């Protein structure tokens, strides 16, 4: 290790543990205990499934944040993209209809059909492979777990950056439910409902539903009114069957529809577009404005069904997961972000995937525990007639298809002797992909096939000083398989990428030094090679896909939970990240011509530049306070999130400036009606300008916007 890297790590550690800084980790208000009668309070254990079994968060030697769904809602987090505001080291961005989470600077900016995110997202243990389906409303969620760092053994598939695990509640035998209504700025309105009950001995069912819409918040300078409208629908049903104490099966069906045109209702960033050349059209120049000629949109619809079973055989459990996912999406984008009909793209896509997993897990409290499993994944993604337009005329219509078949076997064992635990895990993956493309007239890319095989692993050791303090060190490898460019329309462009690999070195600690205080932290270093990146074809503005050499990432995180009193909780965190391309001599950039539009420069040596979407520092503080009176219970909740600047391009020219997001919620529950909650809320109180996406092509630099300051009110009733 170089002296420079070592010195930087020491500096990071000193900066983050300096006095006067308060951080936090998990979310749900802990239950009152007998020891709290003197006015003190304790922090409740949080149970997570980061190692495919239920364990105390503090016992797991992985950097994890677990937050309850209710806590997220009170903090202003109502859909997955807003996890940026509440989770350490997370940047949840998008390009058109593809949603792209980043963790610790690791993520994908690719938007190819058949490609997958390298930050995995799971819902109730089911892997979600379609990037257009990763953006959705968070409705009736028990908790969200974010695992940072590669999870290449137990979860494995394409989790080089980490994992987002969304857990929804299981049905209950007792009749229970909730209904929530909300009204807000820009015509925002939503209605959510949940009901659960038993229907026979050992059989329970529940149903969750949600509808939401608004009228848009981006002023249309050409047609009047507003663009950027959003609508969503969510329906989820579960059937839980537990005929005996040693067997359970859960059948789940999901439907999600998510339409959000805000990111594609764009404007030229800093006025740079070929459309600004004479004759000069109407140009949007202020935040939350657009002046485009194309009725842009981004829409995705997903259906899925899964069956999960668990059988207890005494010495070990057998668990299985089977799922089918069917998704359709379309994005309509304006290439120049002006009112001139210079160019646009309509990209309809469809995907379906099947996945099956079987696991055997040891039970009991012995010195050795283990897990063995196998995973199968297959499916197809296709562009169903990708249309490109120039000057209002159709210039091309292409059909592309990418299929994948993948198998993996994995195992992990934990050996405990005294206060020391040793963990070792392996995963072997073999995968085949094929690709083809054609127009209405001819085959442009004949059937092509490629394969990848990879062994990933995890080695970890943990030392427990006591039940309330431990340290751990780990080395792990993750990988993402090579893929084809789903936009490729020629044999040369359709060459598959090489697999990307990440080696992670991490040391961390987890402590509960006081009953009311929890402090966890980690230092980490990544060696990241063969990074899969995307660029833009200067002629068509469609995506090019290639491997981007290597990068190094150094960082630190510190978190804490403060249970100040029974009615006052604080959750906060701070992160430092130094993510730079170590060797990237073949980058492509676009540089302004000065007369509108860009010149393509390739190859460009981006070695030493900051990695995209990797802010150097982030800080977040969440709080939740309540007070009982004779009239009822008053509550105040909110969060403050600050991000340093970060970049959207390899040259570090397109910049998201530093910003601070402030959300708040004031609530009241009348006396004797604890099941009724009335609240008013504000989102983005400081009216900060935050870009939802930014892209650069030969035609233009384009930017879309997240929501400005909004206000609203909500009412919820539960039984």
């Amino acid at each position: 290790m170089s002296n420079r890297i070592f010195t930087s790590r020491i500096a990071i550690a000193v900066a983050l543990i300096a006095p006067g800084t308060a951080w936090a980790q998990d979310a749900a208000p802990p239950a009152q205990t007998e020891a709290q009668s003197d006015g003190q309070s304790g922090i409740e254990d949080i149970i997570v499934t980061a190692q495919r079994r239920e364990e105390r968060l503090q016992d797991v030697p992985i950097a994890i944040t677990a937050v309850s769904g209710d806590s997220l809602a009170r903090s202003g987090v109502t859909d997955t993209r807003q996890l940026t505001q509440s989770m350490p080291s997370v940047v949840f961005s998008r390009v058109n209809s593809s949603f792209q989470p980043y963790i610790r600077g690791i993520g994908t900016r690719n938007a190819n059909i058949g490609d997958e995110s390298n930050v995995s997202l799971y819902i109730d243990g089911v892997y979600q492979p379609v990037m257009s389906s990763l953006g959705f409303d968070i409705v009736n969620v028990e908790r969200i777990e974010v695992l940072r760092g590669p999870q290449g053994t137990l979860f494995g598939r394409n989790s080089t950056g980490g994992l987002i695990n969304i857990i929804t509640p299981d049905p209950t035998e007792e009749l229970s439910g909730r209904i929530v209504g909300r009204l807000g700025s820009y015509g925002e309105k939503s209605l959510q409902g949940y009901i659960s009950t038993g229907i026979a001995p050992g059989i329970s069912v529940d149903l969750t539903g949600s509808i939401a819409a608004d009228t848009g918040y981006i002023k249309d300078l050409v047609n009047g009114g507003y663009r950027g409208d959003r609508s969503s629908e969510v329906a989820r049903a579960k059937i839980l069957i537990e005929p005996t104490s040693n067997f359970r099966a859960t059948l789940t069906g999901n439907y999600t529809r998510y339409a959000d045109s805000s990111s594609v209702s764009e404007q030229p960033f800093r006025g740079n577009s070929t459309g600004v050349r004479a004759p000069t059209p109407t140009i949007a120049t202020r935040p939350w404005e657009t002046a485009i000629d194309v009725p842009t949109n981004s829409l995705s619809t997903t259906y899925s069904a899964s069956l999960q079973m668990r059988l207890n055989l005494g010495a070990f459990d057998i668990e299985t997961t089977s799922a089918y996912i069917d998704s359709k999406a379309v994005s309509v984008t304006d290439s120049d972000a002006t009112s001139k009909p210079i160019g646009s793209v309509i990209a309809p896509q469809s995907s379906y995937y099947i996945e099956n997993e079987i696991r055997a897990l040891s039970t009991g409290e012995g010195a050795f525990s283990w897990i063995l499993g196998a995973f199968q994944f297959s499916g197809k993604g296709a562009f169903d007639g990708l249309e490109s337009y120039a000057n209002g005329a159709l210039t091309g219509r292409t059909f592309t298809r990418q299929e994948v078949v993948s198998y993996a076997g994995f195992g992990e064992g934990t050996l405990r002797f005294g206060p020391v635990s040793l963990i070792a895990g392996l995963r072997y993956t073999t995968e085949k992909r094929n690709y083809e493309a054609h127009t209405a007239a001819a085959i442009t890319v004949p059937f092509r096939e490629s394969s990848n095989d990879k062994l990933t692993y995890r080695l970890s050791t943990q030392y427990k000083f006591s039940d309330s303090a431990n340290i751990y060190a780990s080395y792990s490898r993750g990988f993402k398989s090579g893929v084809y460019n789903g936009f490729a329309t020629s044999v040369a462009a359709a060459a598959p990428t090489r697999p990307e690999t990440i080696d992670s070195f991490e040391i961390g600690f987890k402590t509960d030094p006081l009953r009311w205080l929890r402090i966890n932290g980690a230092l980490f270093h990544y060696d990241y090679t063969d990074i899969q990146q995307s660029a833009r074809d200067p002629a068509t503005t469609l995506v090019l896909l290639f491997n981007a050499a290597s990068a190094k990432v150094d960082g630190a995180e510190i978190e804490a939970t403060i249970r100040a009193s029974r009615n006052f909780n604080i959750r906060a965190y701070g992160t430092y990240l130094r993510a730079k391309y170590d060797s990237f001599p073949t980058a492509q950039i676009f540089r302004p011509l000065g007369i509108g539009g860009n010149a393509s420069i390739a190859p460009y040596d981006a070695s030493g530049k900051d990695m995209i979407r990797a802010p150097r520092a982030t800080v977040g503080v969440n709080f939740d306070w309540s007070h009982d009176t004779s009239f009822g219970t008053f509550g105040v909740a909110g969060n403050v999130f600050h991000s340093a600047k970060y970049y959207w391009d390899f040259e570090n020219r397109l910049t998201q400036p530093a910003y601070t997001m402030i959300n708040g919620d004031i609530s009241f529950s009348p006396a004797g009606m604890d099941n009724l909650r009335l609240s008013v809320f504000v989102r983005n109180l400081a009216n900060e300008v935050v870009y939802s996406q930014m892209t650069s092509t030969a035609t233009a630099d384009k930017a879309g916007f997240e929501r400005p300051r909004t206000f609203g009110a909500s009412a919820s009733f539960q039984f």
Side-chain angles (χ1 to χ4, degrees):
M1 182 185 301
S2 70
N3 291 333
R4 177 180 59 82
I5 293 176
F6 179 79
T7 303
S8 68
R9 291 186 185 179
I10 296 299
I12 291 168
V14 171
L16 285 175
I17 63 175
T21 308
W23 314 106
Q25 165 127 8
D26 64 307
Q32 183 172 321
T33 66
E34 185 176 333
Q36 295 170 350
S37 59
D38 60 356
Q40 296 180 349
S41 56
I43 295 176
E44 185 183 56
D45 287 332
I46 300 297
I47 303 301
V48 297
T49 53
Q51 298 185 124
R52 292 290 195 174
R53 63 175 82 232
E54 293 186 347
E55 299 173 284
R56 292 175 64 241
L57 180 146
Q58 292 299 91
D59 290 338
V60 178
I62 299 172
I64 314 169
T65 297
V67 183
S68 73
D70 285 344
S71 178
L72 287 170
R74 289 193 295 271
S75 298
V77 178
T78 57
D79 65 45
T80 52
R81 286 190 302 123
Q82 295 170 336
L83 290 175
T84 299
Q85 304 170 25
S86 194
M87 296 290 187
S89 300
V90 174
V91 175
F92 210 118
S93 58
R94 67 182 295 185
V95 171
N96 302 337
S97 62
S98 294
F99 295 87
Q100 301 165 336
Y102 279 64
I103 296 179
R104 292 177 172 175
I106 309 301
T108 183
R109 75 177 211 160
N110 304 339
N112 300 315
I113 189 66
D115 201 354
E116 302 163 53
S117 171
N118 52 5
V119 170
S120 300
L121 190 145
Y122 284 72
I123 300 176
D124 290 330
V126 175
Y127 173 63
Q128 306 296 308
V130 184
M131 284 191 282
S132 62
S133 300
L134 302 186
F136 52 85
D137 286 351
I138 298 173
V139 180
N140 192 37
V141 167
E142 182 177 297
R143 70 182 184 278
I144 296 180
E145 303 171 5
V146 173
L147 284 60
R148 299 183 291 279
Q151 307 298 316
T153 303
L154 296 182
F155 288 93
R157 182 164 187 82
N158 294 346
S159 59
T160 51
L163 171 74
I164 299 172
N165 195 13
I166 298 176
I167 295 98
T168 65
D170 283 336
T172 58
E173 291 186 353
E174 299 80 15
L175 177 64
S176 61
R178 171 191 278 185
I179 186 167
V180 181
R182 190 160 102 160
L183 297 172
S185 308
Y186 303 103
E188 179 186 1
K189 51 187 178 296
S190 68
L191 181 66
Q192 299 178 7
Y194 170 73
I195 187 168
S196 178
T197 187
I199 59 173
I203 303 177
S204 304
V205 299
D206 70 10
L207 179 63
T208 297
S210 170
I211 55 174
D214 65 39
T215 56
Y217 55 88
I218 299 173
K219 189 175 181 180
D220 189 338
L221 302 183
V222 174
N223 303 299
Y226 289 86
R227 295 200 184 195
D229 55 301
R230 174 184 176 277
S231 63
S232 69
E233 300 167 2
V234 175
R236 181 174 66 245
K238 278 187 175 183
I239 301 176
L240 175 62
I241 303 171
E242 292 184 291
T244 66
S245 60
N246 63 350
F247 175 79
R248 62 179 284 156
T250 306
L251 179 63
T252 305
N254 277 291
Y255 161 76
T256 302
R257 178 187 176 277
Y258 192 92
D260 184 356
S261 65
S262 60
S263 290
V264 291
S265 298
E266 299 169 299
Q267 65 174 240
F269 181 64
R270 296 174 180 166
N272 183 30
S273 169
T274 56
V276 305
R277 302 174 188 176
T280 304
T282 302
I283 302 294
T285 57
R286 296 191 299 179
W288 305 296
E289 288 183 348
T290 191
I292 54 180
D293 61 295
V294 175
T296 56
N297 200 4
S298 178
L299 167 67
S300 67
T301 303
T302 302
Y303 298 88
S304 66
S306 66
L307 174 63
Q308 295 179 302
M309 295 185 290
R310 184 175 68 198
L311 175 65
N312 180 267
L313 297 175
F316 61 93
D317 289 346
I318 297 291
E319 297 179 348
T320 66
T321 299
S322 297
Y324 173 79
I325 299 170
D326 190 308
S327 178
K328 289 181 171 55
V330 62
S331 63
V332 183
T333 57
D334 186 303
S335 301
D336 54 285
T338 73
S339 58
K340 289 182 179 179
I342 291 175
S344 61
V345 176
I346 301 176
Q349 55 185 270
S350 61
S351 307
Y352 75 85
Y353 292 96
I354 296 171
E355 57 188 85
N356 293 281
E357 183 169 281
I358 182 169
R359 301 180 297 275
L361 305 87
S362 64
T363 58
E365 302 295 331
F368 181 67
S369 59
W370 52 267
I371 177 172
L372 296 171
F375 178 74
Q376 176 271 333
F377 177 80
S378 62
K380 178 186 78 172
F383 277 123
D384 302 321
L386 179 69
E387 297 181 350
S388 299
Y389 291 82
N391 299 314
L394 179 66
T395 59
R397 191 164 189 258
T398 305
F399 300 82
T400 73
R401 178 175 61 84
Q402 182 167 185
E403 295 182 339
V404 60
V405 177
S406 180
Y407 299 93
F410 58 89
E412 187 170 278
T414 302
L415 179 63
R416 305 174 186 84
F417 45 97
V420 178
S421 296
L422 300 177
I423 300 173
L426 291 171
R427 187 183 189 99
Y428 176 75
T429 301
T430 180
E431 180 167 309
K432 288 186 178 181
R433 287 182 178 267
N434 61 63
Y435 183 79
E436 58 186 345
H438 67 89
T439 65
I443 295 174
T444 59
V445 181
F447 181 86
R448 306 195 66 188
E449 188 174 66
S450 63
S451 62
N452 294 288
D453 302 285
K454 198 73 172 181
L455 184 69
T456 54
Y457 39 82
R458 174 190 176 209
L459 300 171
S460 180
T461 182
Q462 182 182 47
Y463 183 85
K464 288 188 175 183
F465 297 97
S466 66
D467 286 341
S468 60
N470 67 80
I471 59 173
Y472 66 89
S474 67
Y475 166 59
S476 58
R477 168 169 286 189
F479 100 108
K480 180 185 177 186
S481 67
V483 297
Y484 289 97
N485 179 7
F487 289 95
T489 58
S490 69
V491 172
T497 63
R498 298 185 301 275
E500 64 177 34
T501 304
I502 190 166
D503 290 312
S504 168
F505 306 84
E506 181 169 326
I507 58 174
F509 66 89
K510 297 190 174 186
T511 63
D512 293 341
L514 300 169
R515 283 184 48 79
W516 49 269
L517 177 64
R518 172 170 294 163
I519 304 177
N520 298 342
L523 292 169
F524 55 90
H525 170 78
Y526 293 166
D527 288 321
Y528 194 16
T529 58
D530 282 323
I531 306 169
Q532 296 170 16
Q533 287 286 17
S534 64
R536 294 280 176 163
D537 187 318
T540 65
T541 75
L542 295 179
V543 171
L544 303 172
L545 190 62
F546 61 99
N547 290 94
S550 63
K552 284 186 167 48
V553 180
D554 290 282
E557 299 160 340
I558 191 163
E559 309 176 69
T561 300
I562 302 172
R563 178 72 164 161
S565 70
R566 294 190 189 93
N567 301 321
F568 187 26
N569 307 285
I570 301 173
R571 186 178 72 84
Y573 53 86
T575 69
Y576 175 86
L577 190 66
R578 187 179 184 275
K580 289 186 175 291
Y581 296 110
D582 185 47
S583 175
F584 193 179
T586 59
Q588 180 207 47
I589 65 168
F590 291 93
R591 193 170 284 169
L593 290 169
I595 57 173
N598 289 314
S600 173
I601 300 175
Y604 170 80
D605 190 353
S607 304
K609 293 292 186 178
D610 283 3
M611 295 174 65
I612 61 175
R613 305 178 196 174
R616 186 63 59 93
T618 57
V619 177
V621 178
N622 293 45
F623 65 90
D624 190 339
W625 173 84
S626 63
H627 180 66
D628 295 329
T629 71
S630 58
F631 302 103
T633 300
F634 292 89
V636 179
N639 80 305
V640 179
F641 171 77
H642 176 79
S643 171
K645 69 178 180 181
Y646 58 88
Y647 306 103
W648 293 83
D649 69 315
F650 302 135
E651 192 184 15
N652 296 172
R653 179 176 65 86
L654 304 181
T655 306
Q656 166 63 60
Y659 69 92
T660 301
M661 187 71 69
I662 304 172
N663 302 322
D665 182 291
I666 300 174
S667 64
F668 174 68
S669 295
M673 300 181 66
D674 293 341
N675 54 351
L676 175 64
R677 183 178 184 271
L678 308 173
S679 69
V680 294
F681 62 84
V682 60
R683 305 289 182 254
N684 191 8
L685 178 63
N687 212 33
E688 291 275 41
V689 177
V690 182
Y691 297 110
S692 58
Q693 75 174 40
M694 195 179 295
T695 56
S696 184
T697 69
T699 306
D701 298 328
K702 302 187 301 175
F705 299 95
E706 298 286 5
R707 297 177 73 89
R709 178 170 50 235
T710 59
F711 299 92
S714 70
S716 66
F717 179 78
Q718 62 183 17
F719 56 91

